Amino acid sequence: MLISITFITIVLIISAAVMILSTLLAKKTITDREKSSPFECGFDPKGSARLPFSLRFFLIAIIFLIFDVEITLLLPLTTIITFSNVKTWTLTGLFFLIILLLGLYHEWIQGALEWSE
């Protein structure tokens, strides 16, 4: 018990010493305006916030989220194959895949997947 407490104390002291040394020895650079300003996906953060935003970016992000959620619902199917009935497992997997493919088909017909018009 005493050995483990001593070991933990030594590890904490060494890690604290390394953190203090790295803070003291780190190169301090003069703060630059560009480095201290946030980078917002290529938009100028100092400019006007009322610039027109392309709806395509938003639409692609929503489509990605929808299909990403459906993929995360499909992934656990591989782990439960040993615990469930094969017929039920197959029907559930096919149901999710059909929903995914119907959604993709609908987005394709609506023209949401075409980036340029």
Side-chain angles (χ1 to χ4, degrees):
M1 180 73 171
L2 184 61
I3 294 173
S4 63
I5 293 174
T6 307
F7 180 72
I8 291 173
T9 307
I10 291 172
V11 168
L12 288 175
I13 289 172
I14 290 174
S15 62
V18 168
M19 285 191 286
I20 291 171
L21 269 173
S22 67
T23 304
L24 294 175
L25 297 177
K27 291 183 178 180
K28 305 276 191 217
T29 58
I30 299 172
T31 56
D32 189 16
R33 179 180 174 262
E34 295 296 325
K35 288 183 179 180
S36 63
S37 67
F39 180 72
E40 296 289 338
C41 300
F43 298 111
D44 184 22
K46 307 287 187 211
S48 173
R50 300 290 181 211
L51 293 175
F53 183 73
S54 175
L55 197 58
R56 289 277 182 199
F57 290 113
F58 179 73
L59 188 60
I60 293 296
I62 294 297
I63 291 171
F64 171 75
L65 286 176
I66 290 171
F67 289 116
D68 194 41
V69 166
E70 288 204 17
I71 293 298
T72 57
L73 290 174
L74 279 173
L75 284 177
L77 281 177
T78 59
T79 59
I80 64 167
I81 190 169
T82 57
F83 303 117
S84 65
N85 186 4
V86 175
K87 184 177 179 182
T88 306
W89 182 83
T90 306
L91 288 175
T92 305
L94 283 176
F95 180 70
F96 277 120
L97 281 175
I98 287 171
I99 289 175
L100 185 67
L101 290 175
L102 285 175
L104 180 64
Y105 179 72
H106 176 71
E107 295 297 331
W108 191 358
I109 294 300
Q110 294 295 320
L113 299 177
E114 296 176 13
W115 187 254
S116 61
E117 295 176 357

